[in-house]
Amino acid sequence: MSLLSVSDLTIRADEKILVDRLSFDLDEGERIGLIGESGSGKSLTTLAIMGLLPPGLTAEGSIVLDGTEIVGARERTLNRIRGRAAAPVFQEPRTALDPLMRVGAQIAEPLRLRGARGSALKRAVGDLLAQVALADENRISRAFPHE
Ligand SMILES: Nc1ncnc2c1ncn2[C@@H]1O[C@H](COP(=O)(O)OP(=O)(O)O)[C@@H](O)[C@H]1O
Ligand SMILES: [Mg+2]
């Protein structure tokens, strides 16, 4: 079985079909690129794989990721997958990040959900900033995304 298996994925807004019976498989070590004109459904497809479709949009068909069915899954199930089997890199940091939340707190939130606390949490945030060459950890942690 593939690491990711999308079968007959259909995404709708009410009666309007935004993605029409899309199927593809992805195995370990493989990459896939979705190519299509603007508005053809690339972003909605990837959001559906994370179980992150915006309110009002529904997915039908099947998305099996690392052995778990995503379509119709509960938040608890999705939270076990997110950040582990799959993680999104959003296109536009100005809209993907919360503009009112400091950068360090935003990086810390998912780590805290995974159980990190106190000095270990602070160190993990600093390590992640260093990995992307944002080494001035104290200043950047306290900055807002627009800064
Ligand atoms: N929240 C939404 N409600 C209704 N339609 C949406 C919503 N989000 C996206 N769409 C529509 O779904 C289609 C696919 O969008 P999208 O996946 O963002 O395209 P792409 O990433 O390929 O440019 C577009 O026609 C877009 O207008
Ligand atoms: Mg897009």
Side-chain angles (χ1 to χ4, degrees):
M1 194 199 229
S2 297
L3 190 59
L4 171 65
S5 192
V6 174
S7 322
D8 283 329
L9 175 66
T10 298
I11 301 173
R12 282 178 218 265
D14 295 317
E15 288 309 294
K16 196 165 172 222
I17 293 178
L18 303 172
V19 171
D20 191 7
R21 288 166 297 158
L22 176 66
S23 300
F24 62 88
D25 289 321
L26 188 66
D27 286 307
E28 200 171 330
E30 287 186 341
R31 297 168 190 207
I32 194 166
L34 299 180
I35 300 174
E37 63 186 299
S38 183
S40 60
K42 306 178 296 292
S43 292
L44 290 183
T45 297
T46 48
L47 287 172
I49 291 168
M50 301 295 305
L52 286 174
L53 281 180
L57 300 194
T58 56
E60 295 156 49
S62 169
I63 299 168
V64 179
L65 176 58
D66 203 20
T68 300
E69 175 60 61
I70 302 296
V71 175
R74 305 198 301 183
E75 282 298 299
R76 259 183 67 197
T77 306
L78 294 170
N79 280 333
R80 280 200 296 269
I81 298 274
R82 292 178 185 144
R84 292 202 170 100
V89 178
F90 291 106
Q91 222 165 345
E92 173 50 90
R94 272 176 214 251
T95 55
L97 296 173
D98 183 336
L100 300 178
M101 196 172 169
R102 292 177 198 276
V103 168
Q106 289 189 63
I107 297 169
E109 189 175 87
L111 301 174
R112 193 180 296 109
L113 288 172
R114 298 279 185 270
R117 293 288 185 278
S119 59
L121 177 58
K122 192 153 185 272
R123 216 175 319 117
V125 170
D127 287 348
L128 288 170
L129 288 170
Q131 274 181 36
V132 293
L134 293 172
D136 188 357
E137 176 197 333
N138 288 325
R139 183 185 69 78
I140 289 170
S141 278
R142 274 183 276 112
F144 290 98
H146 76 274
E147 297 174 308

